[in-house]
Every structure is written in structure tokens, then in C-alpha cells.
Amino acid sequence: MKKVLCYTLFLTVFTVLGCSQQSKNSNDVEKKINSLLSQMTLDEKIGQMNQLTDVGINDDVKAQIKNGSVGSFLNTMSPEQINEMQKIAVEESRLGIPLVFARDIIHGFKTIFPVPLGQAASFNPEVGYNGARVAAVEASSVGIRWTFTPMMDISRDARWGRIAESCGEDPVLTAKMVVAMIRGFQGENLADPTSIAACAKHFAGYGAAESGKDYNTTWIPEELLRDVYLVPFEAAAKAGCATFMCSFNDINGVPSSGNRHLNVDILRNEWGYDGVLVSDWGSAQQMIPHGFSEDLKQAAEQAANAGMDMDMMGFAYINHLKELVNEGVVSEKTIDSAVRNILRLKYRLGLFDKPYVEIKDSTVFYAKESLEKAKQAAVESAVLLKNENNVLPLANLKSVAVIGALADAPADQVGTWCFDAEPSHSVTPIAAITEAYGKDVKINYVQTLKYSRDKNKSDFPKALAAARNSDAVLYFVGEEAILSGEAKCLADISLQGAQSELLTELKKSGKPVVLVVMAGRPLTIEKEAKEADAILYAFHGGTMAGAALADLIFGKAVPSGKLPVTMPKMVGQIPIYYNHKNTGRPTGKGATLIDEIPVGAGQFSIGSTSYHLDAGSEPLYPFGYGLSYTTFEYSDVQLSDTVISLNGKITAKCTIKNTGKYDACEVVQFYMRDLVGELIRPVKELKDFQKILIKAGESREVEFTLTTDDLAYWHSDMKKRADKGKFYLWIAPSSDLGKAVEFKLK
Ligand code: GLC
């Protein structure tokens, strides 16, 4: 007993000391900030608020650094150049304030992980953590200490190219993934030389761009903004994300760079955020074409008074803030607050103590364990959508045809936003399959189409012959990397070029065809889904995509991915997402489709519910869906109570049995529904998930807990609270499966 007491006492003292040490450190930093601020001229303060892209070191850049008119650079990639620029800032400028160097490292610096949409399909935050940690170690080794990642825009629209950078349509999945990425980038201590500041972007509502066109206007009622779009950002702020970035779009007519309600009322005052808020590239200046600012001077005034700390490549602050302060239009207090946030970032990064990057002779790029983590991420990011007659995993083959543009596309398989990737390091599917199985299996490789938009069918006969001469066909389709990402939006998201026709051709062989899709978004593959015997949706899987796919296809790994975003049958269904409202006329399974309508049918003879005649109301594949090589059986859900009181909680248990012959991971999903609300509520909301390994024939019990906070939502009086009344909950393998269990909040 005595020992326990001593240990508890030690823990308590240690914790108190630890916290007090932390608060002592932060008090020390604030003292240093205030002391430095008191020495700074207005010009020097405004200089810290100015961020420029790298243009190399010329006399003009040297002068800007020396006179303190720039606080940060992005896209400087050479450690030697970074140190040379830093030396001028630290040793030649009047106050020696170090620069902070930034870069977009969205899903890898050199070792590329799957695009974030793919990482989200893993439903495994550790995948997000690993990708960020590997990227932080690689990027910090060249002197980059700030990345503009993770992007956490909720997206319900696959026409939007940036869905590739997102974690999909769900706020809870996105929040869990991005908090893990933030931890990966920032490490345990931001001052560690391998830690880099993360950036919660794009704040906010960017994914709601009308018609899926990038930069387009959004209309988001505040209740929806808070219930859906802000959820990951609040989680990021609470997780200590070092910076935030304004989004390009307007919300209800107010561009984010000038949105005081968003950037001050919510980010600063409600969430208590003390990090840096940086513009997106020129987003302050773009308030002029938005029609929100008359000129660059007004843009500077609006952005500064809306709490934007740093102006990335907008030249608004550096050209107009001094004048605005002298005119009393922007207070020096506002300037000081922004500069405090910037200095705080630099102190937290340890740049005042260690401003220079250590030039290492051996790079940390492509370390063995990094590549292994990237491969594991790609394995977990692939979603098995179809597996007719258990075609997969392939076994006992004498020959296999490998076909398609993405079978050997080292630059495309890494996906969008990979400026620093080296395609020569990509392991492509054909390379991996040849290396791993080429000795035992005859590989008949006919690329046939050279890239995803290729319409040249001249090699179709060769492809068909290869398929006929093989036991099975692996057909790699998808998108070139350039067809997703920023400003890469599509009105038609079906397979590009002649890819779809080639599938129909390959089917003539009568051999099983496995369709492997490598893309940055959900594509509309309803026709292909009927033709293919199996479908593995791998997104753009990164450097090790080919190695991961080889393992999955031949059974060395078992698919565990689940869709992080709904896959529509056709683009006309968009926006289509699982957590939709029920409407007053929901459609059951029995909607009459266009081909079933009798000629001359009367106006109301086929029912009047909410669906498209030519598509129905269901997607091709729903959020949370994904198959395995094994099967899982879910027991009935057991509740701790069927009635809970306000501030109470309820636990739900379920036993999942692996009823197949492969050990495999299952993503067990926990959904709820508020049946009657002051505002109508979604038919389902993901509240949690667990990814668990269950050995063949074995069972595992999972438990989830719901508190009344989980049941709460934003009401029209802008208060977040739960409604009393009836709720459902599900523990299920997908958003469209499972048996509802009822409970009441009294
Ligand atoms: C881009 C993107 C943003 C990126 C920034 C810096 O336009 O919108 O996500 O971080 O500019 O490259």
C-alpha cells in the first residue's frame, strides 16, 4: 500500500511540476515576445506579416531579409540556401529575428504516401500519423519547418479536384485523421529539429464550392458550418495545430480572408486559438476580384481587422498596412497581436535558439522503414468494392495479363501535390508483380493505353490476345495525377479516354477481370462495376502503390479499406452523401426507375418520393463500404441502458466474428440518428469507429460510448445541445448496413 501511495504521490508531483514547467516555458516565451515586440519598429512588425515564395537569393531578397521586410519564405528547398538566407536574418538584420521556411508537403516529401483521401480510406489514424512523421523527418532535414497540411475540408463533391487532398465527407473521420497527421508533423515537441509546424486548411468551407468548381462561392448556413465543416478545424485547434490557413472561397458572401466572425469570433474567441493564421496564396488580394475589396489597401484593412496574421504572396500588408495604421484604420494593437502569433510560432519551433539546418551528408530520404510504412499505408488505403466468386486473391495461376495505363505510371501513381517526389523511386504495379511473381507466373504485359486520357485503340487486339492467353486479367485504370488536385475539377468523372471501352474488350476474353482503380477521387464506374469480376479501388497510392497492390492481389495482404466518401452512380447524383436528411418523402428501396416506367404512365402513377428516375436514390457504393477476403458476422448490439439523462452516457457492445478463412482487419463503425429535432437531423451520423484485427474463426467484442455531447448539434439559437427524445444507434460494417437499436434521452 505504501508503495502505491509513493508512486501516486510521485505521479502527482511529476504532473503538477510538468504542467507548471510547461506553463513556465510558455510564460517565458510570452515574456520574450513582449520584450522583442517592444523593440520592433512598425516596419519590422509588418515585415513579419509578409510571406514570400522563393525566387532564389538575389540582392533584392538579401535587402528584404536584412531590413526585416519578410518574415517567412515558402518553397525554398536547398538547405544551403536556407542557411544563407537565415544567416542574413539572424546576423545582419537589426533584431536578428529568424525566418521560418515553409512548403506544401501534403502526403509526403520524398517518400510519398497515398493521397489523403486514400489514407482516410484506411480508417486508421496511425496511417495519417506515420505519413506525417516520415514527411516531417525528410522535409526538416532540408530546413523546412512549416507545412501547409493537413487539408481538412469536408467534401461531398467528387467533381472538386481537391477532394483528393481531403479525408472525405465525414467530420468525425476527418477529425481523427487530421489530428493524427498534426501529431505526426509536430511530434512531441515543436522545437525538436525534426518537428514541423502543421497547418489546418482551408479555413473554412472550401469543400462546399458550388458545382464542385474550385474557388467557387459557398452558401453554408451557420448551423451546417458548425455541425459539419468546422468540426475538424476545432479538433485541430484543440490538438495544438500550430497554424491555420484562410480559404479562397467566400462563405455566404464574405471571403474567409476578411471574415472576422470566422477568424476572430470563432477561431480566437470561442476556441482560444493562439497560433498563426496565414492567408492562402494571394487570398487577401483576391478579395478584390471577389468584389469584397475595392483595392489592395482595403483588402489589407479588411484582412488585418479580420485577424489574418500573415499575407502569403498578396503584397497587401507590406504595401499598405503602415499607411492604414498611420490613418488609424488598423490599430497597432491589431498588428501587435498578429506579430505575437508569428513570434510565438518561431519561438515554439526553437528557431531563436537553433535557426540553422544541420547539413547532413547522408539524406534521410526513402529510409527502409519509411518505405515500409508507405507500403502499409497503401495496403490499408485500398478498398475492395467487388469480388465475384472470390476471384481475389489470385492463386494457382500459370499466367496473368497485366493491362492499362496505370500499370506503369510512376509519376501518376503518387497523385496530386507531390512537388518533391521522384518518380524513379515509385514501385509500379507491373514492376512489383514481375519481381514478386514473374518467376512462377507468366506475365503477359500490354500497357495498351499510354495514359488515362489516351484514346488510341491500336493495341486493343494485342490486349485481348494477352487476356485470352492468360488465366486472369489485371486491368489498371484511373487518372493521371494532373486530373485531380487544385483547380482540377471535372464535370464528367467517368473513366477518361478509351479505358472503359478497353474493359469491354477484355471481357470478350471470358477470363476473370480484376479492375484496379488508381485515382484522386471517386469515379463513376457503374458500367465497369457490372463488367469487372473484382474491383480494388486504390486511389493514388504513393511511392509504394505497386508493391502494396501486388500483395493485395496475390493475397499476401488482405484489403481492409472502407470508402471515406460516397461513390455516385453518375455525376448527376452529386451532391450525394451518407449523412443526408430524410426529406418528407424518403424513397424506400422500391423507387420506380426510368426503364420500368410504362409508356403513357399517368403523372402520379409511379410514386412521388425524393430520387432521380434514371439513378434511384442510392449511390453506387456508400460511405464506409468495403469488402474483405474474409467475412464478418455482427451480433445484436447490447446497450447499457435504453434511457439516458442529460449529461449521461450510454455504452453499446457488439461481438464481431471472423467467419472466413483469412485473418483480417475490420473497420467497425458506430452511427447514431436523432429521430426528431428542433432542426431536422441526418439519417445517420458516424460518431466513432474501431479498426480491429480478428483471426479467422475468432470473435472480438467492441464497445462504444455515446455521451449527450455526441448527441448535441447546433440549434437555430446558435447553442449546441441535444434534443430529448428517441435516437437510434448502429454498430455496422458500412453506413448502409446494420440493425438500428433505439434509446431515449430524457
Ligand atoms: C495553394 C493552395 C494551398 C497551398 C498554398 C501554398 O494555392 O490553395 O493549399 O498551401 O497555395 O502553396
Side-chain angles (χ1 to χ4, degrees), residues 74 104 148 162 201-202 245 248 280-281 312 417 486:
L74 66 154
D104 291 279
F148 304 122
R162 302 199 78 165
K201 76 181 187 182
H202 304 78
M245 179 187 285
F248 284 124
D280 199 338
W281 185 294
M312 178 201 290
W417 277 104
E486 182 170 353

Side-chain angles (χ1 to χ4, degrees), residues 323-582:
E323 190 186 343
L324 289 161
V325 171
N326 294 338
E327 291 166 3
V329 176
V330 174
S331 73
E332 185 139 11
K333 188 167 163 289
T334 298
I335 303 293
D336 287 353
S337 163
V339 176
R340 272 201 187 85
N341 295 335
I342 295 164
L343 295 178
R344 189 175 302 117
L345 172 67
K346 294 182 175 182
Y347 273 112
R348 285 175 172 168
L349 281 167
L351 290 172
F352 283 90
D353 299 327
K354 294 182 187 159
Y356 302 109
V357 56
E358 187 195 334
I359 308 287
K360 297 190 180 94
D361 45 11
S362 67
T363 71
V364 295
F365 303 156
Y366 308 113
K368 184 170 174 292
E369 62 275 11
S370 300
L371 292 171
E372 279 162 8
K373 285 175 181 166
K375 177 180 169 184
Q376 180 56 26
V379 164
E380 294 195 49
S381 299
V383 184
L384 182 62
L385 297 177
K386 181 180 181 183
N387 195 15
E388 203 79 5
N389 308 320
N390 293 320
V391 164
L392 288 177
L394 296 183
N396 312 320
L397 287 183
K398 291 191 180 57
S399 58
V400 67
V402 176
I403 312 286
L406 276 295
D408 187 15
D412 289 325
Q413 73 179 46
V414 295
T416 185
W417 277 104
C418 289
F419 303 134
D420 307 297
E422 295 166 291
S424 59
H425 285 265
S426 291
V427 177
T428 63
I430 185 62
I433 293 166
T434 304
E435 188 194 327
Y437 303 98
K439 289 183 288 302
D440 312 319
V441 177
K442 185 168 181 323
I443 292 167
N444 301 316
Y445 174 50
V446 182
Q447 190 174 37
T448 315
L449 297 169
K450 299 289 174 278
Y451 53 94
S452 65
R453 288 168 292 158
D454 194 351
K455 295 186 171 72
N456 178 348
K457 301 186 225 179
S458 56
D459 274 356
F460 273 34
K462 268 172 72 181
L464 181 54
R468 287 195 165 118
N469 296 330
S470 303
D471 296 336
V473 182
L474 298 177
Y475 180 32
F476 293 87
V477 300
E479 290 180 309
E480 293 149 77
I482 191 62
L483 299 180
S484 63
E486 182 170 353
K488 307 298 178 293
C489 304
L490 292 166
D492 177 353
I493 53 174
S494 54
L495 283 180
Q496 296 285 339
Q499 295 185 101
S500 187
E501 291 165 79
L502 179 51
L503 176 58
T504 307
E505 194 69 10
L506 292 170
K507 281 300 287 177
K508 291 175 187 168
S509 68
K511 301 295 175 63
V513 178
V514 175
L515 186 69
V516 182
V517 187
M518 301 169 85
R521 57 162 51 88
L523 296 172
T524 45
I525 55 169
E526 185 180 23
K527 166 185 170 286
E528 295 78 9
K530 289 179 184 126
E531 292 179 322
D533 297 279
I535 305 171
L536 203 49
Y537 212 92
F539 299 97
H540 282 131
T543 305
M544 299 301 285
L549 288 167
D551 281 6
L552 287 163
I553 291 165
F554 289 89
K556 274 175 75 178
V558 178
S560 61
K562 300 279 186 177
L563 289 177
V565 63
T566 299
M567 287 193 67
K569 290 176 187 133
M570 51 182 81
V571 73
Q573 290 186 291
I574 292 173
I576 182 168
Y577 45 94
Y578 87 93
N579 43 359
H580 60 81
K581 304 295 175 52
N582 201 33

Side-chain angles (χ1 to χ4, degrees), residues 51 74-75 103-104 106 147-149 151 162 165 199 201-202 206 214-215 245-246 248 279-282 286 312 417 419 486:
Q51 183 180 56
L74 66 154
N75 304 326
R103 176 72 164 170
D104 291 279
I106 309 302
T147 179
F148 304 122
T149 315
M151 186 268 219
R162 302 199 78 165
E165 295 171 68
C199 182
K201 76 181 187 182
H202 304 78
Y206 187 27
D214 209 350
Y215 318 117
M245 179 187 285
C246 298
F248 284 124
S279 79
D280 199 338
W281 185 294
Q286 288 156 26
M312 178 201 290
W417 277 104
F419 303 134
E486 182 170 353

